[in-house]
Amino acid sequence: MDLASPVTSLPGVGPIMAKKLSKLGLSSIFDLLYHLPFRYEDRSQISSLFTVQPGETVTIIGKIESIKNEFTRSRKLIQKAVVSDDSGPIDIVWFNQTFLTRTLRVGDIIGLHGKVDFFGPKKSIISPDYEQTTNNPALIHMGRIVPIYPETAGVSSKWLRAKIFPLLGHLDNIPPFDPNSLRHIHFPESLDQVAPAHRRLAFDELFLLQLTSLIHKQSWHQIKLTHPFHIDQAKILQFVSSLPFTLTPSQNQSLKEILADLSLPHPMNRLLEGDVGSGKTVVATIAAYSTHLNGFQTLILAPTQILASQHYITLKSLFEPLGINVDIITSSHKAIQQASHVIVGTHALLNKSFNRIGLVVIDEQHRFGVTQRTLAASKGESPHILTMTATPIPRTVALSLYGDLDLSVLTDPPQGRLKVKTWVVPETKRAAAYEWIKSLITDRQSQAFIVCPFIEESESVKSVKAATVEFKKLKETFAKNRLGLLHGKLKAKEKDEVINKFRAGELDILVTTPVVEVGLDIPNATLMVIEAAERFGLAQLHQLRGRVGRSSDQSYCLLFSDSDTQRLKALETHHSGIELAEIDLRLRGPGQIYGTAQHGTPQLKIAAYTDLSLIEKAKKEAKEIFPDLDQYPLLHKLTQKDKIALVQPN
Ligand code: ADP
Ligand code: MG
């Protein structure tokens, strides 16, 4: 057995227990050791029974004088014991734990931890935690500071302690990990030992993450392409100049980086990061064009049908004049010509096979799980991969998180964009706000989104119902205007229909659930109204607001809310995703990154994304030992696993 061994290699841990442990993300011995306590209980003081008082929580060690099952007057089964130490006896009471009369025997010396109270007239310790000392070289749960762990059904802190404690005795030889920091974090002799141990373990976590990235990157670079792309500069320039706008400097820069990658003899693996509305789609489009010029197909994967349809429309309008076929695959658009040059789709396209895929674009990549991304990347023969995200992760953090990806960032919005004027609006001003919206619609032909209360994480029957009810109400309020309703339970055709109407200016107001959050691009819409804004994270609000402000007209965002306004007001003054990310990070705590309630983004268990100096340090050290891992067989094993031991995609 070593640290990379599965938990089932521990005595007494079978498949059933392994399944329970997997709920905590614990599959190896290593995982178990890095399952850290979130608090401690000081049980180091052993009290003398003579001195204990009702109301106190105490730890004692004594001898069992008697133990038996008894019925109370209300016919409840209890276990009653008398335990004594040098200073005298005390009663112990447990409720309905008949096995205790079989496991605990008269004469046993046991440790007990629990609350002293009156049971009837007598001073007793009620339902204490217990530990037998017979055959135990050392007490684990008593007479020390004990760890309290994140638990799940069937996996208690006591169970975890009993398994982790003996492991800590066998850690002498696990370079480059430090056995003492593990001992100190699980069973500190004093609480002063905890913080330095935690820092060291955070380092280990980041170090392993960095190392795994280096390994992935290396193996990626070892793939040889049989047909490296030729980049036809002239044709690409011609295409770029045919676009209805000029590219921003950072679009040009990213494009340069991407085209350089495409001309290499190994596949590209690049992340294009850019705030909402920064214009990622067109960059991907040019990469698809270059792929086509080399005789290969491009797959573009989008997280929602709405977004897939939109990309389909955009790409078609740009590509059709050049004789490039664009097709779409979603669960409801199934007809597909194998010969298409560019294929847009939702996850439904992951079930299809293709012949000549040269480039896979994954839009809003944080919306996809690891397996979906891997599946997408396996289409065709080692295609180039371009992933895109609007999740605004600071550059250093992005590099450490996605260390195996190359990174391009769109830093400047397209020219002439105005900041979206944003206000938090209390209920008392709702009527006035509605009048103002009406006047914008009549005077300036503005179009508005009204996003209904967010009810659950994913769209459910409940949120659809809420949207439908709200829609009826709004139809009365905005009786003179044209309203449409959009939610995820509509048929694909109905969705397309309502969005197309809105896009064509045939609707003034689109009432919707938060399905519009991702990627929707309707530049004429300049008004975003969000109901019950306090229910959204800043990340989502920023994404939703990003649906407007996509033309040179002034756009507005109204956040209806009567609570949590302090937090919401951050949106009035901050317009950059990164700034909001940092605020969110402060408000939510360090391990979670902004906007990643979705799957796919690794959540750190120990380290904090804000700890840039530790991230840098881990990176430096990983680079120092890489690629020479022979002296560290454990590291070699841990980084071989598909799943990085410490980092769980949530
Ligand atoms: P995102 O990065 O959020 O995916 P999109 O690719 O949807 O952004 O682009 C947002 C809007 O900006 C689209 O309407 C697109 O046509 C437009 N756009 C992209 N690049 C430019 C540019 N350089 N100048 C002006 N408009 C642009
Ligand atoms: Mg987009």
Side-chain angles (χ1 to χ4, degrees):
M1 181 176 91
D2 66 33
L3 297 189
S5 310
V7 283
T8 45
S9 55
L10 286 171
V13 181
I16 294 174
M17 202 63 205
K19 197 159 171 216
K20 291 178 182 167
L21 288 166
S22 73
K23 295 216 173 92
L24 292 168
L26 310 178
S27 59
S28 67
I29 306 287
F30 187 86
D31 295 340
L32 200 59
L33 281 169
Y34 281 78
H35 187 62
L36 303 190
F38 65 97
R39 70 180 177 88
Y40 300 88
E41 237 171 61
D42 190 346
R43 301 183 182 175
S44 55
Q45 211 59 38
I46 305 289
S47 303
S48 162
L49 281 175
F50 179 68
T51 62
V52 304
Q53 295 300 326
E56 284 178 347
T57 298
V58 298
T59 310
I60 61 127
I61 293 179
K63 188 163 125 200
I64 301 180
E65 304 289 351
S66 68
I67 179 159
K68 58 181 190 296
N69 289 315
E70 248 182 54
F71 281 102
T72 61
R73 251 178 267 142
S74 53
R75 304 296 301 158
K76 291 214 175 74
L77 192 56
I78 63 169
Q79 289 68 48
K80 226 172 180 179
V82 176
V83 168
S84 65
D85 66 5
D86 294 345
S87 68
I90 193 165
D91 280 14
I92 314 291
V93 181
W94 285 282
F95 300 95
N96 206 19
Q97 303 203 30
T98 43
F99 68 92
L100 285 176
T101 53
R102 273 170 277 132
T103 31
L104 302 179
R105 309 214 171 268
V106 172
D108 281 356
I109 306 291
I110 60 168
L112 293 167
H113 177 84
K115 194 163 179 183
V116 184
D117 212 333
F118 284 106
F119 189 74
K122 287 184 83 176
K123 196 165 77 175
S124 310
I125 305 181
I126 313 287
S127 290
D129 203 356
Y130 70 93
E131 180 173 15
Q132 280 164 293
T133 66
T134 333
N135 303 328
N136 267 0
L139 283 173
I140 298 175
H141 313 283
M142 310 283 157
R144 63 169 75 246
I145 297 169
V146 297
I148 311 292
Y149 296 102
E151 298 175 349
T152 187
V155 186
S156 64
S157 286
K158 189 170 179 183
W159 188 93
L160 287 162
R161 264 181 241 136
K163 294 296 170 201
I164 293 170
F165 186 84
L167 289 175
L168 294 169
H170 301 282
L171 290 179
D172 292 335
N173 198 17
I174 53 161
F177 300 107
D178 171 25
N180 277 329
S181 54
L182 281 168
R183 291 188 188 110
H184 291 168
I185 201 104
H186 288 288
F187 292 95
E189 284 148 33
S190 93
L191 290 175
D192 298 341
Q193 288 177 335
V194 173
H198 189 271
R199 187 168 167 79
R200 171 61 211 247
L201 298 171
F203 172 84
D204 290 353
E205 180 180 40
L206 292 167
F207 173 77
L208 209 54
L209 185 62
Q210 294 295 341
L211 200 61
T212 310
S213 293
L214 288 172
I215 292 168
H216 283 171
K217 199 162 185 166
Q218 189 195 40
S219 55
W220 193 264
H221 279 244
Q222 278 164 352
I223 304 173
K224 287 269 172 292
L225 292 179
T226 39
H227 302 281
F229 285 13
H230 163 72
I231 305 299
D232 188 333
Q233 296 286 353
K235 280 204 167 151
I236 288 173
L237 276 177
Q238 201 183 355
F239 181 67
V240 169
S241 59
S242 77
L243 294 170
F245 43 73
T246 41
L247 295 183
T248 63
S250 58
Q251 279 173 327
N252 269 318
Q253 177 59 30
S254 301
L255 192 58
K256 224 163 89 188
E257 292 161 358
I258 290 167
L259 295 177
D261 281 1
L262 292 180
S263 66
L264 295 176
H266 56 78
M268 167 171 79
N269 192 16
R270 185 169 283 277
L271 174 67
L272 176 61
E273 188 195 317
D275 212 340
V276 273
S278 58
K280 295 183 286 292
T281 316
V282 69
V283 177
T285 307
I286 301 164
Y289 180 59
S290 180
T291 306
H292 169 69
L293 293 178
N294 281 278
F296 285 93
Q297 297 171 297
T298 297
L299 276 188
I300 300 183
L301 185 63
T304 64
Q305 161 148 14
I306 292 174
L307 192 52
S309 298
Q310 176 181 294
H311 284 337
Y312 175 65
I313 294 168
T314 311
L315 290 165
K316 221 168 141 160
S317 72
L318 292 170
F319 280 153
E320 249 175 15
L322 302 172
I324 303 174
N325 308 326
V326 184
D327 213 329
I328 180 166
I329 304 180
T330 68
S331 47
S332 46
H333 304 87
K334 286 200 184 102
I336 150 104
Q337 307 149 4
Q338 275 300 325
S340 303
H341 303 124
V342 177
I343 303 140
V344 183
T346 56
H347 60 272
L349 64 70
L350 296 175
N351 307 323
K352 298 259 165 30
S353 56
F354 305 92
N355 300 327
R356 283 183 69 74
I357 301 296
L359 169 67
V360 173
V361 178
I362 306 177
D363 193 15
E364 309 286 350
Q365 64 107 23
H366 59 280
R367 288 290 182 122
F368 292 98
V370 178
T371 29
Q372 287 173 310
R373 282 186 274 172
T374 314
L375 201 56
S378 69
K379 297 282 153 186
E381 246 178 79
S382 311
H384 295 286
I385 311 282
L386 179 65
T387 47
M388 309 202 286
T389 185
T391 304
I393 308 165
R395 192 181 176 94
T396 32
V397 180
L399 283 173
S400 75
L401 255 183
Y402 303 111
D404 51 334
L405 303 181
D406 295 304
L407 183 66
S408 294
V409 187
L410 299 182
T411 46
D412 39 358
Q415 253 199 326
R417 295 280 161 85
L418 302 169
K419 283 180 185 158
V420 178
K421 287 194 175 152
T422 304
W423 297 288
V424 179
V425 183
E427 194 53 42
T428 50
K429 295 207 176 142
R430 177 181 292 275
Y434 280 163
E435 287 313 307
W436 179 73
I437 294 170
K438 283 180 201 164
S439 73
L440 282 186
I441 294 173
T442 359
D443 304 346
R444 298 204 214 157
Q445 285 77 51
S446 300
Q447 286 178 283
F449 291 103
I450 299 185
V451 178
C452 292
F454 168 81
I455 292 177
E456 274 155 39
E457 194 64 40
S458 65
E459 185 166 277
S460 63
V461 180
K462 239 169 143 184
S463 19
V464 169
K465 204 167 144 201
T468 316
V469 170
E470 185 70 16
F471 182 58
K472 279 204 187 117
K473 264 197 343 221
L474 288 167
K475 259 175 130 170
E476 286 166 22
T477 315
F478 293 92
K480 296 211 179 88
N481 301 116
R482 300 161 299 170
L483 278 72
L485 174 64
L486 173 67
H487 59 69
K489 295 282 184 292
L490 291 179
K491 295 211 183 75
K493 235 180 94 190
E494 298 168 323
K495 279 187 203 167
D496 284 347
E497 241 170 61
V498 66
I499 289 176
N500 290 341
K501 267 183 153 177
F502 191 60
R503 206 186 285 280
E506 291 160 22
L507 293 174
D508 305 309
I509 299 177
L510 188 64
V511 179
T512 146
T513 55
V515 290
V516 292
E517 182 198 337
V518 174
L520 199 62
D521 184 45
I522 302 184
N524 321 333
T526 53
L527 254 166
M528 170 58 69
V529 179
I530 302 172
E531 290 291 340
E534 73 281 355
R535 299 199 194 167
F536 295 85
L538 293 184
Q540 248 185 327
L541 290 169
H542 179 66
Q543 277 274 344
L544 285 169
R545 177 171 64 179
R547 293 314 114 216
V548 298
R550 292 181 164 245
S551 69
S552 51
D553 294 338
Q554 178 64 58
S555 288
Y556 303 92
C557 175
L558 304 187
L559 304 169
F560 278 114
S561 182
D562 276 320
S563 58
D564 207 5
T565 44
Q566 181 75 3
R567 182 176 67 96
L568 296 177
K569 276 184 184 291
L571 283 144
E572 292 184 352
T573 44
H574 295 270
H575 292 84
S576 117
I578 297 237
E579 281 169 27
L580 288 164
E582 273 152 14
I583 295 171
D584 231 28
L585 203 60
R586 277 205 301 277
L587 295 174
R588 287 189 193 199
Q592 307 290 311
I593 334 183
Y594 168 82
T596 52
Q598 301 92 343
H599 26 222
T601 308
Q603 300 296 338
L604 295 173
K605 288 173 85 180
I606 308 170
Y609 285 120
T610 41
D611 197 343
L612 295 183
S613 69
L614 200 63
I615 290 173
E616 291 296 342
K617 201 168 158 203
K619 193 169 188 164
K620 194 166 149 256
E621 305 234 345
K623 278 195 175 143
E624 259 164 39
I625 76 158
F626 183 78
D628 199 13
L629 300 185
D630 293 351
Q631 334 164 33
Y632 303 113
L634 173 63
L635 274 185
H636 195 71
K637 263 194 196 166
L638 290 172
T639 49
Q640 286 306 306
K641 298 204 300 177
D642 280 353
K643 191 187 82 169
I644 305 166
L646 295 175
V647 177
Q648 287 181 271
N650 66 347

